[in-house]
């Protein structure tokens, strides 16, 4: 009687399909449903990374141990069979649908398709300045960035693996990989700390630590799993070739099952907790939350694949197994379908917001098309190969009328989506509508500056009300545009001239107005220049409220701050009371300050508008221009991002600003007139008291 080595373990590790289901569920909920459900669900991608690193390395190590070499062509062919069919279907079908819908959904589509098929999407996004957490255009294949990272790993890692195998000890290989993972995480932290969130998140080098953790697990577990499998399943070979599994009792089995169950459950609970934490543009999230999710995923993988584990088989059942098998297709389909749905219903990007019911519909459609793709495209190609699948399709033409019809329908559908993709790429604009209106505003300001520079400078004779919003209330008062002082009161005890029967009308002109704002004001610049000729506009993309105080102080110090100040900041982030106070203080009490509230599908907008309204109530010279109320019912006049106004929307913005300025100036003139009238009556009664 002799002992023989056990049969090679199955290529299917228990629990990995269940973990894939968890990963794709986190990402899908994050994208398709309100952000407060799983605001950090994007870490599901890192679960995929750890699984991929572990599984691919384990398969390569197994092949190297069994044959003494790694057949690269065979490995890459298997990867192509696994990944390319579904990818090609998603890209061509969704690109054709985008061509039918049109608009911003087509922006840079050719570049997106190129990135998808060359597995370079993440680097093309970095080069183009696109971001994962917000963009001006509805980017159709944005989720493909993670596929690019994985495919780059599949391409490079089999070539590099033999170098690690030169290290004689398992601990040396694990240590080398963990050092690389730590370097990758540190590099992400360094990049994120300098504001390069997109670079840090999309970069293969900065986001490789999850995959590398999976690789380290594969190195560490390979010998341990082999020894554990041998100890758990000793094979006894009897004379005559009979093999018997020894029923030896294993007192450690219950402990193994308990430990793996507790470890796996705790890891999944930790992943859920990380998914509940909103992302911040700081190292706390990049790499903090991302690295935490990767470590928890590694623990879950260990708990799942450990021999005799109860956790792995438990999460590989029922719905989780079904979703895990189709997780690749679900991940591919859900985001492009969401972009198409939101673009067709709301003519906007998903960041503009959408109904939860729309998310439910997209989820249902995702599951249906993923199942069809899995059953009729992905599995046949995986079983038969590309040439075998084509031969099977050819056999359909020689079969029954039903199979011939199916073959013809398949060829026609393929021709339609390939042609639609070509047409979509040809029709794709280079910039989104939001970018176009902002660029048009910048061009209008540049033209206005050139015209002002080229025109001769006349000697101004300003109107009486140009000095300050209150000067016109005093008959005969004159001043210069830079003079914001109030009219001098009459000498003490002097009656002076009787005020006119009504306040002198105040007309606010553009040369009296300074405007400071963000990209919304920049997009509205043509309307402002048309409505208030001569207005001084300083607006820029991505400007936030914290930059306002320094700008106002600088203008005031240089004598360039005009009597009326318009401030439109808040689209790109919260505005605090301290910044508003500093801007108002720098403007001084004699200037009228107009704060333009905001309209955008962003979480901080309601807080910004409430803060602006409360601050205006506390200052006599501060008023609110209600841009939010004016455009709320006219969102068709906004660009595709539902933030930046087009031509007509810019005119509404300018009208809101001009009307608010005029109303505030007239109100101040009336208030000053009433004050002067009361002063006149008081002095008259003192000099000419009524006889008793």
């Amino acid at each position: 009687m002799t002992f023989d080595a056990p049969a090679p373990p199955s290529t299917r590790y228990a629990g990995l399909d269940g973990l894939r289901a968890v990963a794709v569920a986190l990402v899908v909920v994050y994208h398709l449903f309100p952000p407060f459900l799983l605001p950090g669900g994007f870490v599901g991608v890192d679960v995929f990374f750890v699984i991929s690193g572990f599984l691919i390395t384990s398969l390569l190590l197994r092949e190297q141990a069994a044959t003494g070499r790694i057949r690269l062509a065979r490995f890459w062919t298997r990867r192509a069979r696994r990944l390319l069919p579904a990818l090609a279907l998603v890209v061509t079908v969704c690109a054709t649908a985008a061509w039918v819908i049109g608009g911003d959904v087509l922006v840079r589509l050719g570049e997106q398709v190129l990135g998808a098929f060359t597995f370079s999407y993440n680097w093309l996004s970095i080069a183009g300045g696109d971001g994962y957490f917000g963009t001006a255009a509805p980017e159709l294949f944005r989720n493909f960035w993670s596929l690019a990272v994985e495919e780059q790993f599949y391409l490079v890692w089999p070539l590099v693996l033999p170098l690690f195998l030169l290290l004689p000890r398992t601990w040396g290989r694990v240590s080398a990989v963990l050092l690389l993972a730590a370097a990758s995480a540190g590099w992400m932290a360094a990049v994120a700390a300098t504001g390069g969130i997109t670079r840090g998140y999309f970069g293969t080098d900065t986001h490789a630590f999850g995959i590398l953790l999976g690789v380290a697990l594969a190195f560490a577990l390979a010998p341990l799993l082999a020894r554990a499998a041998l100890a758990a399943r000793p094979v006894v070979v009897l004379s005559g070739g009979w093999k018997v599994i020894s029923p030896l009792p294993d007192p450690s089995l219950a402990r193994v099952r308990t430990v793996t169950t507790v470890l796996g459950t705790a890891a999944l609970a930790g992943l859920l907790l990380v998914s509940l934490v909103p992302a911040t543009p700081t190292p706390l999230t990049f790499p903090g939350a991302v690295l935490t999710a990767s470590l928890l995923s590694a623990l879950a993988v260990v708990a799942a694949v450990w021999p005799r584990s109860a956790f792995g088989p438990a999460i590989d059942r029922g719905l989780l197994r079904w979703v895990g098998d189709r997780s690749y297709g679900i991940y591919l389909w859900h985001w492009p379908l969401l972009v198409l749905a939101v673009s067709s219903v709301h003519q906007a990007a998903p960041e503009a917001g959408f109904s939860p019911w729309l998310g439910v519909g997209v989820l249902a459609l995702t599951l249906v098309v993923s199942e069809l793709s899995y059953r009729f495209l992905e599995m046949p190609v995986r079983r038969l190969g590309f040439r075998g699948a084509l031969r099977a399709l050819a056999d359909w033409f020689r079969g029954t009328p039903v199979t011939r019809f199916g073959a013809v329908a398949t060829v026609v559908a393929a021709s339609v989506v390939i042609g639609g993709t070509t047409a979509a790429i040809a029709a794709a604009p280079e910039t989104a509508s939001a970018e176009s209106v902002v660029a048009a505003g910048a061009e209008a300001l540049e033209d206005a500056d050139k015209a002002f520079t080229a025109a001769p400078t006349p000697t101004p004779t300003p109107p009486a009300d140009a000095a300050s919003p209150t000067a016109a209330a005093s008959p005969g008062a004159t001043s210069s545009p830079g003079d914001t002082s109030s009219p001098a009161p009459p000498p003490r005890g002097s009656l002076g001239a009787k005020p006119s029967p009504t306040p002198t009308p105040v007309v606010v002109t553009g040369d009296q107005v300074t405007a400071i704002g963000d990209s919304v004001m920049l997009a509205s610049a043509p309307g402002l220049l048309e409505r208030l000729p001569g207005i001084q506009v300083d607006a820029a993309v991505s400007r936030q409220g914290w930059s306002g105080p320094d700008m106002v102080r600088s203008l005031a110090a240089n004598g360039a701050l005009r009597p009326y100040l318009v401030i439109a900041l808040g689209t790109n982030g919260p505005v605090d009371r301290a910044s508003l106070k500093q801007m108002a203080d720098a403007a001084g009490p004699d200037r009228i300050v107009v704060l333009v509230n905001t309209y955008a599908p962003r979480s901080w907008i309601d807080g910004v508008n409430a803060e602006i309204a409360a601050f205006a109530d506390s200052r006599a010279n501060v008023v609110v221009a209600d841009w939010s109320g004016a455009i709320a019912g006219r969102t068709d006049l906004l660009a595709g991002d539902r933030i930046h106004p087009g031509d007509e929307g810019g005119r509404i913005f300018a009208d809101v600003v001009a009307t608010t300025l005029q109303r505030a100036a007239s109100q101040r003139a009336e208030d000053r007139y009433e004050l002067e009238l009361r002063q006149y009556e008081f002095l008259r009664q003192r000099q000419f008291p009524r006889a008793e």
Side-chain angles (χ1 to χ4, degrees):
M1 181 174 65
T2 59
F3 288 92
D4 193 12
S10 169
T11 58
R12 194 177 191 110
Y13 288 98
L16 294 192
D17 282 326
L19 291 178
R20 288 191 187 98
V22 171
V24 78
L26 293 176
V27 176
V28 167
V29 172
Y30 171 72
H31 282 150
L32 298 189
F33 295 99
F36 58 79
L37 289 182
L38 287 179
F42 59 91
V43 297
V45 168
D46 297 280
V47 183
F48 279 123
F49 283 174
V50 174
I51 293 173
S52 294
F54 169 78
L55 182 60
I56 295 303
T57 305
S58 297
L59 294 176
L60 293 173
L61 290 176
R62 179 179 300 165
E63 182 180 3
Q64 196 276 338
T67 65
R69 63 191 181 94
I70 297 173
R71 290 174 288 185
L72 296 178
R74 182 179 177 184
F75 170 79
W76 288 325
T77 299
R78 288 199 305 266
R79 290 294 90 201
R81 289 179 180 178
R82 174 71 177 88
L83 301 173
L84 288 180
L87 180 107
L89 181 66
V90 171
V91 169
T92 55
V93 169
C94 293
T96 301
W99 175 56
V100 174
I101 294 171
D104 280 355
V105 75
L106 290 172
V107 172
R108 295 173 58 191
L109 186 63
E111 183 177 315
Q112 294 185 57
V113 172
L114 176 66
F117 281 122
T118 60
F119 303 113
S120 60
Y121 200 98
N122 60 326
W123 293 112
L124 288 177
S125 294
I126 291 171
D130 298 329
Y132 183 65
F133 301 96
T135 184
E139 193 177 351
L140 191 58
F141 302 121
R142 186 193 306 168
N143 59 322
F144 283 28
W145 75 270
S146 63
L147 302 179
V149 172
E150 291 199 37
E151 288 303 319
Q152 291 158 30
F153 166 70
Y154 297 153
L155 180 64
V156 174
W157 180 237
L159 301 174
V160 177
L161 177 59
L163 298 178
F164 286 85
L165 296 180
L166 294 176
L167 298 173
R169 302 286 184 179
T170 296
W171 66 265
R173 299 169 187 173
V174 172
S175 299
V177 174
L178 289 179
L179 284 175
L180 291 176
S184 175
W187 184 221
M188 176 185 279
V191 172
T194 60
I197 299 298
T198 296
R199 170 64 180 86
Y201 191 67
F202 279 7
T204 307
D205 52 347
T206 50
H207 208 147
F209 49 83
I211 293 176
L212 291 172
L213 284 175
V215 171
L217 278 185
F219 279 138
L221 292 180
L224 296 176
L225 289 175
R227 289 197 297 268
L230 181 61
R233 294 176 57 87
V235 179
V236 181
V237 181
L238 304 176
S239 58
W242 292 91
K243 294 183 180 181
V244 179
I245 302 298
S246 174
L248 297 175
D250 186 356
S252 66
L253 177 59
R255 184 167 63 252
V256 169
R257 294 173 69 86
T258 299
V259 170
T260 55
T261 299
V262 171
L263 182 64
T265 303
L268 291 184
L271 280 172
L272 179 60
L273 290 176
V274 174
S275 300
L276 293 173
V277 179
T280 59
T282 65
L284 185 65
T285 300
F286 308 101
V290 178
L291 179 58
T292 301
S294 300
L295 292 171
L296 291 169
S297 302
L299 291 177
V301 169
V302 172
V305 304
W306 197 269
R308 313 299 290 274
S309 167
F311 176 71
I315 64 173
D316 254 359
R317 297 175 182 173
L319 180 61
L320 286 177
R321 177 67 171 269
W322 187 91
V323 173
D325 282 338
R326 294 152 184 82
S327 59
Y328 176 61
I330 293 172
Y331 182 83
L332 283 180
W333 282 103
H334 82 281
W335 176 259
L337 290 179
L338 176 65
V339 170
L340 293 170
V342 176
S343 295
S344 60
V345 174
H346 300 298
Q347 293 78 49
E351 289 79 13
F354 53 90
S355 165
W357 291 109
L358 185 62
V360 171
V362 170
L363 175 60
L365 182 58
T366 296
L367 296 178
V368 170
V369 296
S370 297
E371 169 64 19
L372 294 175
S373 171
Y374 180 80
R375 180 175 300 183
F376 297 110
L377 178 63
E378 297 172 53
M379 290 307 295
V381 173
R382 289 168 68 178
R383 287 196 309 265
L384 304 174
F386 292 106
R387 285 179 292 184
L390 290 175
R391 284 194 296 267
L393 179 62
D395 290 340
W396 285 8
F397 282 100
R398 295 188 291 269
T400 65
V402 174
T403 61
R404 284 198 297 272
F405 176 80
V408 171
T410 300
V411 172
V412 170
S415 301
V416 168
V417 296
I418 292 174
T421 301
T422 304
I425 293 172
E430 286 297 319
T431 58
S433 57
E435 295 171 322
S436 298
V437 297
V438 170
E443 184 178 354
L445 288 181
E446 185 178 352
D447 292 343
D449 288 341
K450 290 179 180 178
F452 177 79
T453 303
T457 304
T459 302
T461 305
D465 60 352
S468 77
T470 62
S474 179
T478 59
S479 58
S480 64
D483 179 15
T484 60
S485 60
S486 300
R492 185 175 180 85
S494 174
L495 181 59
K498 181 178 180 179
S500 60
T502 59
T504 303
V506 177
V507 178
V508 179
T509 57
D511 60 354
Q512 299 171 298
V513 183
T514 296
I516 297 172
D518 52 31
S519 57
V520 172
M521 178 178 282
L522 185 57
S524 305
L528 288 170
L529 293 169
E530 177 184 334
R531 184 72 165 77
L532 295 166
I535 185 174
Q536 177 189 22
V537 179
D538 186 342
V541 175
S542 300
R543 181 177 288 167
Q544 298 192 34
W546 57 263
S547 64
D550 286 341
M551 297 183 65
V552 177
R553 283 192 288 262
S554 176
L555 289 170
N558 294 328
L561 192 60
R562 298 176 178 182
Y564 301 94
L565 175 61
V566 179
I567 300 172
L569 298 170
T571 306
N572 300 302
V575 175
D576 57 37
R577 180 67 65 93
S579 295
L580 295 175
K581 181 179 183 302
Q582 291 172 23
M583 288 187 282
D585 290 346
D590 293 323
R591 287 187 176 87
I592 289 180
V593 178
V594 175
L595 299 177
V596 185
N597 63 18
T598 55
Y599 182 90
R602 296 291 183 267
S603 59
W604 57 81
I605 294 302
D606 289 342
V608 167
N609 290 345
E611 193 67 54
I612 287 175
F615 182 76
D617 288 341
S618 69
R619 291 290 187 108
N621 67 320
V622 179
V623 295
V624 177
D626 190 14
W627 161 243
S628 178
I631 201 61
R634 304 292 306 277
T635 55
D636 57 306
L637 302 180
L638 298 175
D641 61 355
R642 295 298 180 92
I643 299 175
H644 298 90
D647 289 341
E648 188 59 34
R651 292 188 181 94
I652 292 177
F653 183 96
D655 187 64
V656 168
V657 169
T659 302
T660 303
L661 281 169
Q662 187 62 56
R663 186 186 303 119
S666 298
Q667 183 62 51
R668 174 174 276 194
E670 290 179 9
D671 293 343
R672 180 54 61 93
Y673 171 77
E674 292 293 334
L675 175 61
E676 291 181 351
L677 186 61
R678 287 195 300 270
Q679 289 176 339
Y680 175 82
E681 291 296 334
F682 174 76
L683 293 174
R684 189 179 67 82
Q685 290 180 13
R686 288 188 61 183
Q687 291 189 16
F688 305 103
R690 292 181 180 180
E692 293 292 336

